[in-house]
């Protein structure tokens, strides 16, 4: 494993376990030596993965047991989502639980016969010690192999059955969207925001669906569920109050104490949510949060020279702390701030002698207990004065925190997560007028298309590893679908034909490589001969987990392509894909947000608002066209010289170049649905009325 490029695998190179990378060689060795496989799946940001590493895999006595009885394989779940998703399903079928670290015992053919998640080194937490588990599983392989093989066969069958999510229904109606929204509203915690009880995770696709439905129909329940959740998250400790950006999830229902790792995909999805909330409801705090997410990503998680977004930031420096980099004792805060600043920061961020962390009760997770107005009343000052002092305090706390040793940043650049960030950044750049963010994002998109995409070999899942080496893992459905969306967003942002052409190429490849022409829908991986282990099991992902699910994301991508190209086959495949799951999707509720958005795109029909004019002249019309988020509305700003057939997608090329208004030199907006466009208008109020209609 010395040649591994993955951050998670590199972190285990020093361990006395003879780890192998996932691959043919490891399974051949297991067959040759007649040993079962010990499979560990984890991630560099995963706290309990590090705990199990230190307790067990770094223990020479336990490593000896592993090396004697097993062939050990370690997998990075971020690098190999195809491997992780299948073994998660397998272990869930065996033990009823999943998560990381994932620990599975496999036959030399890669089929699991036992598994679980974290196993302690010694008997505790009501779980058997890992050495006892290892010796028992080795003994089962030697003396009760028939039982192991029978278990492996039944688990494999359960994976294939459970992961197809097939539930075809003949009719696709908005009633399905209504049911998904009703399910989310039913689970909404009106007091604290979010859905259900602790632990609480963000659900970006579901929140976008709620925003869209609230804006389109006036559904007050959907509006409250989206806006209260976004407000409470932004006030909680799950949001980094000094640097910006969100931690992965909250362990309590009030969003106060998080798991402190920060993931690119969460922040990309939530950035889009806050932009759409501002866009639709003119919520100034939502705009502030969106800018702060970008501020953190720009400062911490981006390759400024070449473009690209890094994957994650770890929660801890070591296993002996729990978010200590991000938290403060009262004394630590007071040492950084003046007495005047501390007087307002203390109530505003709820900094006290008794904090929030179990491992160190003096440590406070900064969260906004009171509003600025409430703090101003408590300290007897004007709101403006308090706001200025809070901003000064935030800057000082951040400067002091940056002097602390920084948790590890995984600088791997993944295609799908970067595509999500590209789309969210371009949304933010348009709505919030962020020119620098726009330029960096286009640099990132150019890098993805240059380094990850190849017409012959397809799309890579990894663009680059932390050491700068190129990725060598084949792209999965998510990579293709989300990069189609990002490329179309690039075209909308620039009018540059190369982005539209790239989206078409990748979309065609996605259909060719993943679409099930017999049963409908998309598989998550390409079918390959001699697939290892449970990779032979076919999956059609429907559930957001937490990134957008591959099937509805692919369907939405095809619908966006059809709206510009007129390709009826794309629409047919998208509709067939959504029909494939229509009979069961309502049972997924919150976890089917991407499906709901895709179904809206199918039923509401996409509309393009094309604003034509020089940049400054067109800006006002573009701003009015952008107001209110709607999943089926796209806004494209073109300079007059770009409105020629050779530069436009086919359907727009049929109409826009023939407009007599182009010769007037006056900025105008055209609302188009497919090849049908309304007359151009230069009147902003008239444009708004056309959009309402």
């Amino acid at each position: 494993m010395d040649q591994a490029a993955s951050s998670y695998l590199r972190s285990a190179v020093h361990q006395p376990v003879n780890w192998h990378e996932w691959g043919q060689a490891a399974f051949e060795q297991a067959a040759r030596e007649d040993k079962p496989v010990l499979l560990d799946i984890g991630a560099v940001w995963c706290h309990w993965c590090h705990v199990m590493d230190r307790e067990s895999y770094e223990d020479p006595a336990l490593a000896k047991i592993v090396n004697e009885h097993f062939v050990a394989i370690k997998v990075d779940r971020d690098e190999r989502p195809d491997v992780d998703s299948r073994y998660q399903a397998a272990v869930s079928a065996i033990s009823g639980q999943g998560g990381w670290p994932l620990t599975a015992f496999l036959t030399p053919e890669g089929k699991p016969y036992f598994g679980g998640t974290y196993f302690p080194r010694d008997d505790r937490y009501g779980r058997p010690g890992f050495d006892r588990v290892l010796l028992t599983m080795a003994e089962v392989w030697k003396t009760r192999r028939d039982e192991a093989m029978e278990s492996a066969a039944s688990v494999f069958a359960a994976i294939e059955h459970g992961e197809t999510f097939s539930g075809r229904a003949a009719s696709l109606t908005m009633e399905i969207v209504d049911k998904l929204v009703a399910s989310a509203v039913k689970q909404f915690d009106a007091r604290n925001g979010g859905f259900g009880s602790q632990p609480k995770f963000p659900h970006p696709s579901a929140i976008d669906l709620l925003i869209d439905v609230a804006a389109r129909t006036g559904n007050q329940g959907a509006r409250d569920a989206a806006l209260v959740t976004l407000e409470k998250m932004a006030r909680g400790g799950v949001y980094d109050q000094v640097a910006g950006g969100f931690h992965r999830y909250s362990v309590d229902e009030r969003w106060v104490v998080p798991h402190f790792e920060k993931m690119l995909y969460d922040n990309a999805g939530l950035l889009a949510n806050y932009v759409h909330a501002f866009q639709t409801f003119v919520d100034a705090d939502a705009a502030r949060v969106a800018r702060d997410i970008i501020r953190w990503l720009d400062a911490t998680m981006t390759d400024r020279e070449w473009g690209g977004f890094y994957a994650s930031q770890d929660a801890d420096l070591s296993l002996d702390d729990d978010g200590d980099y991000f938290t403060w004792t009262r004394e630590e805060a007071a040492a950084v701030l003046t007495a005047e600043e501390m007087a307002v920061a203390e109530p505003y961020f709820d900094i006290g002698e008794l904090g929030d962390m179990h491992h160190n009760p003096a440590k406070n997770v900064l969260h906004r207990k009171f509003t600025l107005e409430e703090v101003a009343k408590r300290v007897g000052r004007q709101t403006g004065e308090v706001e200025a002092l809070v901003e000064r305090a935030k800057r000082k706390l951040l400067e002091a925190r940056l002097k602390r040793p920084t948790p590890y940043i995984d600088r791997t650049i993944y295609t799908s997560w970067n595509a999500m960030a590209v789309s969210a950044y371009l949304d933010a750049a348009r709505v919030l007028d962020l020119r620098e963010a726009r330029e960096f994002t286009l640099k990132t998109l150019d890098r993805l298309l240059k380094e990850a995409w190849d017409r012959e070999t397809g799309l890579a899942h990894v663009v680059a590893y932390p050491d700068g080496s190129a990725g060598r893992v084949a792209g999965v459905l998510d990579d293709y679908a989300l990069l189609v969306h990002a490329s179309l967003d690039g075209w909308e942002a620039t009018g540059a034909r190369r982005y539209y052409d790239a989206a078409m190429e990748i979309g065609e490849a996605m259909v060719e490589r993943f679409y099930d022409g017999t049963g409908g829908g998309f598989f998550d991986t390409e079918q390959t001969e001699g697939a290892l282990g449970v990779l032979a099991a076919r999956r059609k992902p429907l559930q957001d987990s937490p990134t957008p699910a591959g099937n509805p994301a692919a369907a939405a991508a095809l619908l966006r392509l059809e709206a510009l190209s007129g390709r009826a086959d794309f629409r047919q495949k998208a509709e067939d894909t959504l029909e494939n799951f229509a009979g069961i999707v309502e049972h997924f509720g919150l976890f089917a947000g991407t499906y709901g958005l895709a179904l809206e795109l199918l039923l509401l029909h996409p509309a393009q608002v094309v604003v034509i004019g020089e940049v400054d002249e067109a800006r006002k019309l573009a701003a009015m066209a952008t107001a209110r988020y709607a999943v089926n509305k796209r806004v494209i700003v073109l300079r007059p010289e770009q409105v020629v057939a050779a530069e436009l997608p086919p359907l727009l090329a049929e109409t826009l170049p023939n407009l007599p208004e182009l010769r007037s030199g006056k900025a105008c907006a055209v609302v188009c649905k497919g090849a049908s466009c309304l007359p151009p208008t230069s009147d902003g109020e008239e444009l708004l009325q056309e959009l309402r209609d």
Side-chain angles (χ1 to χ4, degrees):
M1 203 173 69
D2 291 344
Q3 303 304 311
S6 146
S7 297
Y8 181 57
L9 271 56
R10 295 296 304 166
S11 72
V13 167
H14 68 284
Q15 294 171 3
V17 173
N18 295 330
W19 289 113
H20 298 73
E21 284 192 79
W22 175 272
Q24 191 72 44
F27 288 101
E28 288 177 352
Q29 179 180 333
R32 190 169 57 249
E33 297 178 2
D34 192 28
K35 289 181 178 179
V37 170
L38 169 65
L39 176 67
D40 170 86
I41 303 178
V44 71
W45 46 263
C46 166
H47 173 79
W48 286 101
C49 301
H50 297 318
V51 171
M52 195 161 173
D53 278 344
R54 185 172 76 171
E55 288 181 348
S56 295
Y57 297 132
E58 293 177 14
D59 180 338
L62 192 136
K64 184 178 179 183
I65 296 173
V66 173
N67 295 335
E68 181 179 345
H69 296 286
F70 300 91
V71 171
I73 297 177
K74 207 170 188 73
V75 170
D76 183 335
R77 62 87 45 207
D78 295 342
E79 181 186 41
R80 294 302 305 260
D82 53 340
V83 176
D84 176 61
S85 61
R86 284 160 173 77
Y87 284 104
Q88 290 286 348
V91 170
S92 181
I94 292 168
S95 66
Q97 60 179 320
W100 304 284
L102 194 79
T103 309
F105 296 89
L106 320 178
T107 70
E109 295 76 37
K111 296 180 180 179
Y113 64 91
F114 184 73
T117 52
Y118 163 75
F119 288 101
R121 175 64 180 85
D122 303 304
D123 294 1
R124 66 179 187 275
Y125 308 133
R127 301 186 183 203
F130 196 38
D131 55 352
R132 190 151 61 93
V133 172
L134 289 168
L135 291 171
T136 300
M137 288 303 105
E139 185 63 22
V140 165
W141 183 252
K142 289 175 183 175
T143 65
R144 294 152 52 197
R145 187 170 303 189
D146 288 348
E147 292 179 33
M149 298 299 286
E150 184 178 344
S151 173
S154 63
V155 170
F156 188 82
I159 297 169
E160 288 208 304
H161 176 73
E163 291 297 294
T164 56
F165 288 141
S166 182
R168 183 171 290 277
S171 85
L172 292 169
T173 68
M174 291 299 288
E175 184 181 357
I176 297 173
V177 174
D178 294 341
K179 287 179 178 178
L180 294 177
V181 169
S183 175
V185 171
K186 184 177 180 180
Q187 294 181 67
F188 168 55
D189 177 353
R191 179 185 178 92
N192 300 301
F195 306 93
S197 58
Q198 79 278 6
K200 279 186 175 170
F201 289 82
H203 293 275
S205 293
I207 291 173
D208 263 356
L209 180 63
L210 292 168
I211 292 172
D212 180 271
V213 168
R216 182 169 47 78
T217 69
N219 184 320
Q220 189 64 38
R223 175 182 174 134
D224 290 346
L227 292 187
V228 172
T229 294
L230 292 176
E231 177 199 354
K232 296 294 187 179
M233 286 180 65
R235 293 184 63 167
V238 74
Y239 178 65
D240 187 339
Q241 298 292 337
V242 299
F246 284 86
H247 302 291
R248 198 163 71 94
Y249 69 94
S250 172
V251 301
D252 64 282
E253 71 277 3
R254 296 184 299 121
W255 301 104
V256 173
V257 180
H259 257 222
F260 287 94
E261 61 270 14
K262 288 181 172 182
M263 310 301 298
L264 173 59
Y265 56 73
D266 285 328
N267 283 280
L270 288 166
L271 171 58
N273 288 160
Y274 283 93
V275 168
H276 297 157
F278 171 72
Q279 183 180 358
T280 304
F281 304 112
V282 200
D283 183 330
D285 201 48
R288 180 191 63 78
V289 173
R291 289 190 179 95
D292 273 356
I293 294 172
I294 290 175
R295 175 168 62 92
W296 170 70
L297 286 168
D298 282 353
T300 310
M301 301 290 288
T302 51
D303 183 336
R304 306 308 296 176
E305 182 177 2
W306 300 105
F309 294 86
Y310 301 141
S312 62
Q313 182 175 27
D314 210 341
D316 314 305
L317 285 170
S318 71
L319 299 181
D320 300 318
D321 77 79
D322 186 359
D324 286 355
Y325 174 78
F326 299 100
T327 55
W328 298 83
T329 64
R330 189 185 183 286
E331 289 72 22
E332 287 171 338
V336 172
L337 305 178
T338 65
E340 186 181 35
E341 292 159 353
M342 190 67 185
V344 297
E346 193 169 3
Y348 187 71
F349 291 125
D350 197 23
I351 303 172
E353 296 289 352
L354 182 63
D356 309 290
M357 302 302 298
H358 290 301
H359 81 294
N360 182 354
K363 279 282 194 176
N364 292 270
V365 182
L366 303 189
H367 58 282
R368 289 188 277 156
K369 186 174 182 180
F370 300 107
T371 65
L372 289 169
E373 291 77 14
E374 288 168 335
V375 172
K377 190 176 293 186
R378 291 172 72 91
V379 300
R381 305 189 71 144
Q382 296 296 315
T383 301
E385 294 177 304
V386 169
E387 184 175 15
L389 287 167
V390 165
E391 289 304 313
R392 264 172 36 199
K394 283 167 64 175
R395 285 196 298 272
K396 287 187 175 182
L397 290 169
L398 179 58
E399 287 169 6
R401 198 176 83 179
L402 290 173
K403 295 174 183 175
R404 298 174 176 176
T406 305
Y408 179 77
I409 295 169
D410 181 4
R411 289 178 167 80
T412 309
I413 297 175
Y414 293 107
T415 297
S416 54
W417 300 0
N418 269 255
M420 289 180 65
V422 165
S423 292
Y425 257 57
L426 289 176
D427 255 5
R430 182 193 302 280
V431 173
L432 302 175
D433 195 21
L434 305 175
R435 298 189 184 188
E436 287 185 16
R438 177 182 183 275
E439 295 310 310
F440 175 78
T441 311
L442 293 173
K443 180 192 289 188
T444 296
L445 180 56
D446 289 339
R447 182 178 184 185
L448 296 180
L449 295 174
K450 179 181 178 182
E451 297 183 21
W453 168 240
D454 182 273
R455 289 188 186 90
E456 300 301 320
T457 60
L459 190 59
H461 175 62
V462 180
V463 181
Y465 288 101
D467 63 3
S469 61
R472 55 180 182 267
V473 178
V476 295
L477 176 61
D478 299 11
D479 295 305
Y480 283 77
L482 295 173
L483 189 54
V484 171
H485 284 288
S487 299
L488 289 174
D489 293 335
W491 178 75
E492 291 172 9
T494 65
R497 175 69 186 238
R498 70 180 187 277
Y499 294 128
Y500 167 78
D501 290 340
M504 283 295 294
E505 282 184 3
I506 298 167
E508 288 170 344
M510 178 178 72
V511 170
E512 180 183 338
R513 293 168 181 264
F514 299 94
Y515 186 70
D516 180 1
T518 303
F522 289 84
F523 296 115
D524 66 329
T525 59
E526 296 182 60
Q527 181 69 64
T528 56
E529 292 294 326
L532 294 174
V534 296
L535 289 185
R538 306 299 276 150
R539 292 184 69 244
K540 292 181 180 177
L542 167 65
Q543 179 174 315
D544 299 333
S545 60
T547 54
N551 267 278
L558 292 182
L559 290 168
R560 289 183 65 186
L561 288 171
E562 182 264 342
L564 294 168
S565 67
R567 288 277 297 271
D569 60 318
F570 281 175
R571 183 176 183 84
Q572 179 271 318
K573 288 179 172 62
E575 187 168 356
D576 193 61
T577 296
L578 296 175
E579 283 179 355
N580 204 49
F581 306 104
I584 58 162
V585 69
E586 66 182 85
H587 302 297
F588 289 84
L590 276 172
F591 299 94
T594 304
Y595 182 96
L597 292 166
L599 183 56
E600 284 191 313
L601 197 55
L602 175 77
L603 298 177
L604 298 174
H605 302 294
Q608 291 90 32
V609 185
V610 184
V611 179
I612 303 167
E614 297 303 331
V615 174
D616 291 336
E617 296 175 355
R619 184 171 294 171
K620 183 177 179 182
L621 281 173
M624 299 187 85
T626 302
R628 205 201 84 180
Y629 168 66
V631 68
N632 61 320
K633 179 182 69 175
R634 320 303 304 186
V635 179
I636 306 105
V637 180
L638 300 174
R639 299 185 307 277
E641 63 269 23
Q642 291 178 301
V643 189
V644 293
E647 292 297 315
L648 295 171
L651 290 187
L652 294 181
E654 292 179 14
T655 54
L656 294 184
N658 303 316
L659 295 174
E661 284 77 7
L662 286 177
R663 292 182 287 278
S664 71
K666 191 175 183 181
C668 64
V670 187
V671 179
C672 298
K673 288 187 177 183
S676 172
C677 297
L678 295 173
T681 180
S682 297
D683 185 300
E685 291 302 320
E686 185 177 340
L687 173 61
L688 288 177
Q689 186 58 48
E690 288 178 356
L691 291 173
R692 280 194 291 268
D693 293 342

